[in-house]
Amino acid sequence: MTPGVLDLLAEREIRATFFACGKDIADEAARSILRRAKREGHRIGNHTFSHSVEFGSNRDPDAPNAEIGRTQRALGELADDERWFRPYGGGGVLGPRLLSQAAVEFLCRGGYTCVLWNSVPRDWEDVTGWPDRALADIWSRDWTLVVLHDVPTGAMRQLERFLDRVADESVEIVQAFPDACVPIRCGEVHGPLDHLVSDEAPAPS
């Protein structure tokens, strides 16, 4: 996350949720930016530790704690009271590689809220063209949860243009998540998971 993104969101009074990877938040400069985000009303969530493990294809029974629990502990005071978690989707893919039964059980035991998405405009691949795909998604459904990445690609230089176009069309930006994108809320399963969870048993520990 960069201060420029926070400046732009503050200017427009937009509140977002930032899902941070555990490996990135030990750095004091990163934590300082996250502290600012929290002060300004943004929510801070957990986006795994390594940003590399698809639980549905990982048979290590300790993977949920290593990826989710470790990150939650690293977040410390930065985390919200509600434990927001967004899984790693290997390019935004919603499918059985996303979660394992062990991960679901870990999330439920820990009282986590699992947040998914219905728009991934692939800003990391097309740093200038992603707003068009995001807008097409927005026009195609009643409520769109867009995933963007503030990483060193330059993609967020297009954020102001995207927000201008959204405002021109009178689209409301809210911090809430649509129920269809939240299959687990505060440790309780509220939506179908069969298509998101591998049926492969974890390897014995």
Side-chain angles (χ1 to χ4, degrees), residues 50-126:
S50 68
H51 198 255
S52 65
V53 173
E54 295 173 294
F55 292 112
S57 60
N58 185 301
R59 300 188 68 231
D60 180 358
D62 296 323
N65 182 53
E67 289 291 324
I68 305 169
R70 185 180 179 190
T71 299
Q72 200 66 29
R73 293 188 291 274
L75 284 170
E77 79 288 354
L78 294 170
D80 278 26
D81 291 338
E82 186 161 353
R83 292 181 161 194
W84 307 102
F85 170 72
R86 182 166 74 83
Y88 168 70
V93 178
L94 294 174
R97 294 170 66 91
L98 194 69
L99 295 170
S100 61
Q101 192 57 48
V104 171
E105 291 171 2
F106 186 90
L107 292 169
C108 290
R109 282 198 310 272
Y112 288 87
T113 294
C114 181
V115 180
L116 305 182
W117 52 86
N118 58 18
S119 174
V120 181
R122 306 189 75 81
D123 52 323
W124 68 93
E125 288 182 341
D126 184 355

